[in-house]
């Protein structure tokens, strides 16, 4: 699996023409405003994860359209955290996964953060399990999630997902044990794409950690990615040969490389130069467009696994630095405000 | 791709233990009765397919839950058919396909039949296109259609599909240009599995043509099939390790090798001994269980493409023989009656 | 399978240096003249295809060297066509296929054309069957048809195939039920390459429909195509390392991107940008060289399946337009005249 | 990836003839006695893993031949564990991995155990990194670790690995913060094979947790496993066609299905029925031979990933039950005593 | 690539029902008698191979139908061989190869034998080159050589090949520098199948060396072989679904497992238990049917490469023993006599 | 497998920036000087290879660190060579192979040369067998040989291999039956890379024959090669994300494209433009840097098999020309002098 995308020096300059729809802001304002009319209706139920170092709650809240979204909230054990408010990390999931079992993802809590591990609606029967369905159906689509409702931006699957994710961020930000000014969003692959979207849409995101993000620069991704999940769009257009423009029009409302222009929180990206799932050019398309302070960790010999534990270590150091920085940082506004 | 399933002599005897649920009949009676409370609300709109030998209408009717299902009705040109009522064939689609473009599937009409080419809800962005969405969502599931709602028989995707298909049969059976006593159901792969289900569920099916049918003997299929779509269930259970029994319980209401016991119309099956998608044992499980008069065409050196044009030729001769047989055939009753 | 060939804007400009042999015209004139000395010896035997909308004859005629070539002639049923002369389409086959069963390929007849479905000598044991052998042997060659006799242009397999194809066109053009001024040639993949050759070689071709044509720009094809059939030449040269020039010398007499310069009939090409069998650059090499009026349908997300039913619909509209255009079109002359 | 090994009912009865070498006990007694003549020379250096819930030390000790082996020791944070002695788990690594980064594997510590994560000498440049070399060379061998020194049991690579592993167990068992009567050995794949060996070789193992263990029933494994690492042996014998008996003679000293007969601690195995790396028959060969109290978790739809987080949850419950069982359990003796 | 064929103990007993055609002897007698009416017309032209230890002639002779077949004759250098007559080995080629370059295959000559390296007509553009064409054409066939003319035993490609091979044996047997009573036939894969046929057809074969022979037990081969060349027959029957019996009828005249019953010379076979091209059961079908004295070398961990240099060493020792055995051996008669 | 590397015209100009370490000469001088302090301790034991045209000795000598290295020496039979001193060829082996069986590689001896076929330490359990172990261990490494000791140039595996190879050259150069001024070094793939290194390191190399050489231009090779063995480095760096610079620093001491600058003997390279193992750019990197008189044979349609017998024929003619050239050639000095 050799490097087949652009060389690194060209990646650093790669800025595709991706026109933002005129009504991008209106679309998201309206979407989030409508969602915001419903209360979060959050519930927190303590569960026994089997671990002694972390305390876990089963979380439920009302997402897009009011339907239930599930998550885990992990906090360091009371004996360790005392009564102070914790910084927080909202962690979104990679494609086809879910929040998993209660003990499965506790890195940030083990490092002293309040960690919210959020389901992606409809997903969670793949590499980790989830408990959140998507009650909304779709027009004829490819197997998979990427082409559900892609005919129309109002019906597109990720409209619901990004809205859920934004509300999950608000949930953690406003949690009594959490310092609402110090909440980051994070995720790998699809999780990274969602984090990027939340960075653009939500108000008050303190930092963003998108690792090998998915959902960026769809036009190029569908031409150069070797396989799924971008391949779902390719196969959809292979069948619906007459809908190319229509589909990319919809996707432009959800493209991380478009939304990144509206983000302002400090960001630490990562990219892998041998990534065949989320080719590095698509990641750099988002990174180069990102409007806030930013850094990127480059892994030259990795495929889509990216930096893994190495990147966790990087993130921990970087995030502590960012969140502990002297105050005065203005609260970033979101595209959805 | 060598023969990897059982030898032919064992296939001919293969009868797996597949317990029918106690409430199988109740489940389907209730399902179809509920659906039957809505009128079909059929509309027929002539379209120009570009062909001169066949006349085509764009068909819409109310399927499960009242949502719209689309189909094409093809009739031989008026100059050829005159005023007599035609025998009919309802044709269901293979996995991931749809009714296609108007001129795409006209074999049965070209051979003198009224041919109804029916969409499968939610599908139709693959090898042929469709125009029928599925407005019903699902709990967390694998990409694909096989595990949507598989937690509960009431929510399972194929409950809606089989109901739509049964209503499509009724639609053609009752069409004024059609001789309602001479309507067959047919399909390849998923289409064959659906045809088999309709043969068990509907009243008055005159003949059944299941080619290399899918959706049969799920327990074995998930152990021996090499890939998708059965692989969707495998991957679902790979994630949801604790739901094996629950999933097979649901599937037992939809298994062609269970439903076949309730069918009574004459049937011509086909099977391919090198079929890696729908392994021959799963097809014989249904064939051997089939309760009506039956024959099977065996293709020893074919994979899932099966008999293709050869089988069409077989079917044409066989079907003409069956439909022209002397009257006195009792109207077969369906499981759903 | 991402785009791995040139970007579309470069494809539109791609004009490889492919020198035409000095004696190209002489070679083909002599070849066709020699063939023309034998009568076509055509026979037409009605067969029952099982269809009622189309009438089919089993056709036999003397091809290259006088050996028998088989075809089907399909006409719309007499009740539909009356006594008027029909426009015609000669349809050549994709690699490894044959004319198929009588009912298998009737699209053009169903649309009102006289349709001649011609075998490719020696082929027809693959995706569809054929009934035409090739009585001529060959020097040591790779398995497959592309390197048979490739040492010498006189012995090359496609010399016989193109000659057969040209005579098939003449056969339909001169058929009493056909309007000889309105006969098109068509084909997909190898069939498209053959159609292109006939457009250059025959006199009086009214229109050309090459879909994702094969047999174009051999030098590039052998460097960029991912697999067979072009791979047969690659493997031949992998063994016969000392015959590279000799082989490409032979192929230059048969290269669609060379022959296209001699064609003059209106043409509607199609190309798929993810085509790994006939890479888009090889198709554009022929299209850009094509000397007659031309259009090309571009399918950005398709592999070698190309436009399929969508392209049929395009072709039907386009061909009706071209054939019904006001007279005064001069009869195009062929390279072989 | 269908089930290709024996059906479950046959797996439960599968007991291959695997003769134990006459001098098996002598071989291991001598090996461990020789190793035991060197002190462990353990060092414990606190490191900052970035986590706040777990305290980590970088461990070094003298393994086989006195060469340095590295490990991490993780303890729950002091505030959580207080002064009491903890139960322990020694965790061995899968093929090609190492102990990883300090924060990478802390499940057992997070659950309240002293967790020793041990390197495998020479490995640790694959899915996780390691810091332990193997200073011993080898005769000509296949790339990989499985055929290093396989000509002679004295030189075989796993003689050194099993000895290192046994000494790692002793290290944790004798650690002042650990209750030496409640130390289990655990591992996945190669780690499971090593744990099984330690269960047979060491004295005082309280429980064993082999997940989808590797290194079991080499004769069958080399016939039925689809790929690496067992494939290394296949390729070695493909070249060294004259050494089949010699190689299996060596391997019989290291085969988990032979050594299991000498183990006596309670064991919880796991097996995946679609495991193509460590086929289920090879796991059952060890399980069925295992001489102590035993249970096995069967994952019918999993490949070599096995039970993952589900199995962790199972193990946690089971292990707490076993270790908290009323005293009176005799200290198990090892084959190496 | 695990063992997927029968276990060795069953292989040793495997005797498929392969009925010999009633007219098998007549067919071959007539074929060879007709060929025998033409003189061999041999020519021997010394060539410079570049080697100093072996002297090489370019050989041409009249094969089936009188068409030219090429070979190399290698003799040890005159200084080494003196004037005595040498034992001989005729070596046939694997599928898709030819006699190669003059210096390419000199093992037997280097070991003191007269070695005739014979082309296979039409082949020789693959792993080694050849110079022999096949002037005979064929009915529609799959790419490849196995289905050329397979409709009729008179037209089948291997009728010509086996006849060429028998005449090549006669050529070497009657060469003045060769001791005609001590000429063996040998070959790997297809070469082994041809050698087996010659052992059955020719008179006076002194020994046979079939390595991993191809062309044996076609019915099983087409069911269990994983790929080409047997796959050519599979694909042919996949298309020509109606010719299964006809094809196997033809093949029964050419099946090494049928012809072996007519052979009488001592034979040393070899077989590889992981052979996916020529599965071991097909080799044992021939071996178990072989009517002369016989031995077989079994390579348990090899794929189709078989024993390679190890087997050459075996063959050299065995052949010297057989050819130097005390006289009194009757001259074996061939099926073709 | 299309051409995926640079076009030929760019390959001919390709000169990557590969800085030579400042102490390159010192490193190799010291390494070889230290090795030179030990005598070669050569032993020559005649063996019976089974061949009569070539006489073979089993050779043993002291390589790096004094450990034993094995080789075969083949001479044309005494009756052919008389008493004159022969020109010589030292042949190094491809990755994972060894010297093989005694009769296996005798091309150069058959052509009148003294041929020394040398093992590569630790290798020889792959495509041919070897008898030379590597008694030196390594830090944690990937399976395979390329990353053993790659942390430090002193410990790197190829430091030992190149030293062994240099000493093997000296052994043949100084053999009493050999004309020491006419000894060439040769090899394919890894063997070619080793030959190139010896050409740079040893004194008195008369000619160099590197075919499709491996071990050249590591930075590019790890980015563009499709698989192993270069993939071993890729996977190592995929795990050890923090060692990229360190690893390439080590490799710069062993890179054929760096060492080639120090070579002066006439060289005949070969390269294959479809080589996916040793991509052509990496070969041209070495060729373009090569400091002596040079030619290169280009095989446009070959993968890593390269020119095979065709190239042998080329080499034989070229080498005879070079070695028989009029004297006056200065003895080339090596980098290691």
């Amino acid at each position: 699996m050799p490097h087949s995308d652009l060389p690194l020096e060209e990646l650093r300059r790669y800025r595709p023409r991706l026109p933002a729809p005129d009504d991008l802001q209106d679309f998201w304002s309206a979407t989030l405003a409508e969602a915001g009319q419903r209360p979060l209706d959050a519930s927190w139920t303590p569960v026994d994860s089997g671990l002694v170092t972390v305390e876990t709650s089963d979380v439920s809240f009302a997402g897009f359209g009011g339907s239930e979204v599930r998550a885990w909230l992990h906090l360091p054990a009371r004996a360790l955290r005392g009564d102070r408010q914790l910084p927080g990390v909202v962690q979104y999931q990679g494609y086809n996964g879910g929040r998993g079992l209660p003990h499965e993802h506790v890195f940030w809590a083990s490092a002293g953060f309040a960690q919210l591990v959020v389901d992606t609606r409809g997903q969670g029967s793949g590499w980790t399990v989830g408990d959140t369905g998507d009650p909304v159906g779709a027009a004829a689509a490819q197997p998979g999630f990427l082409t559900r409702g892609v005919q129309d931006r109002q019906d597109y699957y990720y409209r619901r997902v990004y809205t859920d994710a934004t509300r999950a961020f608000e949930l953690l930000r406003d949690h009594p044990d959490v310092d609402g000014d110090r909440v980051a969003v994070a995720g790998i692959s699809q999780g990274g794409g969602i984090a990027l979207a939340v960075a653009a849409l939500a108000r008050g995101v303190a930092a963003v950690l998108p690792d090998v993000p998915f959902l960026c620069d769809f036009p190029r991704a569908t031409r150069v990615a070797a396989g799924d999940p971008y391949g779902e769009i390719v196969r959809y257009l292979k069948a619906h040969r007459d809908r190319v423009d229509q589909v990319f029009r919809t996707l432009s409302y959800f493209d991380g490389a478009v939304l990144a222009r509206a983000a302002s929180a400090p960001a630490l990206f990562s990219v892998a130069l041998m990534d065949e799932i989320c080719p590095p050019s698509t990641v750099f398309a988002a990174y180069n467009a990102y409007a806030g302070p930013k850094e990127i960790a480059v892994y030259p010999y990795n495929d889509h696994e990216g930096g893994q534990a190495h990147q966790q270590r990087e993130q921990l150091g970087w995030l502590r630095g960012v969140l502990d920085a002297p105050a005065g940082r203005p609260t970033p506004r979101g595209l959805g405000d």
Side-chain angles (χ1 to χ4, degrees), chain A:
Chain A
M1 299 159 196
H3 285 201
S4 59
D5 206 332
L6 304 173
L8 182 53
E9 55 271 34
E10 294 183 34
L11 291 171
R12 293 200 184 274
R13 295 190 304 261
Y14 173 68
R15 292 179 176 274
R17 286 194 59 242
L18 292 169
D22 290 344
D23 63 342
L24 179 67
Q25 168 118 24
D26 293 347
F27 171 71
W28 281 113
S29 298
T31 295
L32 294 174
E34 184 185 333
Q37 289 173 346
R38 296 181 192 261
L40 279 170
D41 274 343
S43 74
W44 317 81
T45 314
V47 297
D48 178 5
S49 70
L51 304 185
V52 301
T53 56
V54 165
E55 292 169 9
T56 298
S57 301
D58 186 350
V59 181
S60 166
F61 68 93
F64 181 97
S67 57
E68 181 186 58
V69 177
R70 305 284 287 278
W72 301 121
L73 177 69
H74 304 297
L75 302 177
R78 171 69 63 178
L80 297 169
R81 75 175 188 268
D83 293 327
R84 70 180 186 285
Q85 280 189 319
L86 299 169
V89 174
V90 187
Q91 181 188 326
Y92 305 107
Q93 308 309 314
Y95 186 87
N96 206 19
R99 62 176 183 170
L101 300 189
H103 70 278
E104 210 165 344
H105 303 119
V106 297
F107 169 71
W108 291 105
S110 300
F113 291 75
Q115 177 180 7
L116 189 72
V117 182
V118 192
D119 265 352
T120 313
R121 63 166 61 208
Q123 300 185 15
S125 299
W127 56 277
T128 47
V129 294
D131 292 293
T132 302
D134 180 10
V136 183
Q142 263 290 320
F145 299 90
L146 256 73
T147 65
R148 293 196 184 165
V150 76
Q151 300 85 349
D152 188 312
R153 67 184 182 279
Q154 299 295 343
D155 298 334
Y156 191 43
Y157 169 75
Y158 282 99
R159 182 174 175 237
R160 305 191 288 280
V161 171
Y162 288 2
T163 301
D164 294 347
T166 301
R167 287 170 72 85
F169 167 75
E170 293 165 6
L171 189 78
L172 189 63
R173 188 192 58 194
D174 300 340
H175 189 282
D177 291 340
V178 172
D179 173 356
D181 290 337
R182 293 196 298 153
V183 176
V185 290
I188 301 174
S189 192
Q190 177 186 261
I194 297 172
L196 211 42
V198 173
L201 300 177
R203 178 201 290 259
V205 172
V208 195
L209 297 163
D211 288 316
V212 292
F214 181 49
L215 304 171
C216 294
D217 193 357
F218 288 104
R220 181 170 175 90
T222 54
R223 285 197 313 269
V224 304
D228 280 343
Y230 281 125
E232 295 176 11
I233 302 172
V234 172
R235 287 192 300 275
Y236 183 90
L237 292 175
K238 182 172 174 160
H240 297 294
R241 296 163 175 90
D242 48 354
R243 296 189 190 162
V244 175
D245 290 345
Q246 178 185 0
V247 162
F248 285 110
R249 166 91 183 147
T250 297
L251 293 173
S252 67
Y253 290 83
F254 303 90
D255 191 321
V258 171
L259 295 173
R261 302 169 194 161
S264 57
L268 173 60
F269 284 69
S270 68
V271 65
L273 297 189
M274 290 184 167
D275 192 334
E276 301 205 331
I277 304 300
C278 295
S281 53
T282 64
V283 175
F284 272 101
Y287 177 73
N288 291 335
Y290 192 84
K294 60 193 173 188
E295 297 177 46
I296 188 162
V298 178
Y299 292 98
Y301 288 96
N302 286 87
D303 194 349
H304 193 50
E305 75 285 347
Q308 294 177 314
H310 286 74
Q311 181 65 5
Q312 286 182 319
R313 195 165 52 178
E314 289 294 309
Q315 289 177 329
L316 199 47
W318 180 89
L319 186 57
R320 285 178 173 151
V322 165
L323 297 186
D324 295 349
R329 286 181 295 114
T331 297
R333 286 178 58 97
L335 188 65
D337 281 336

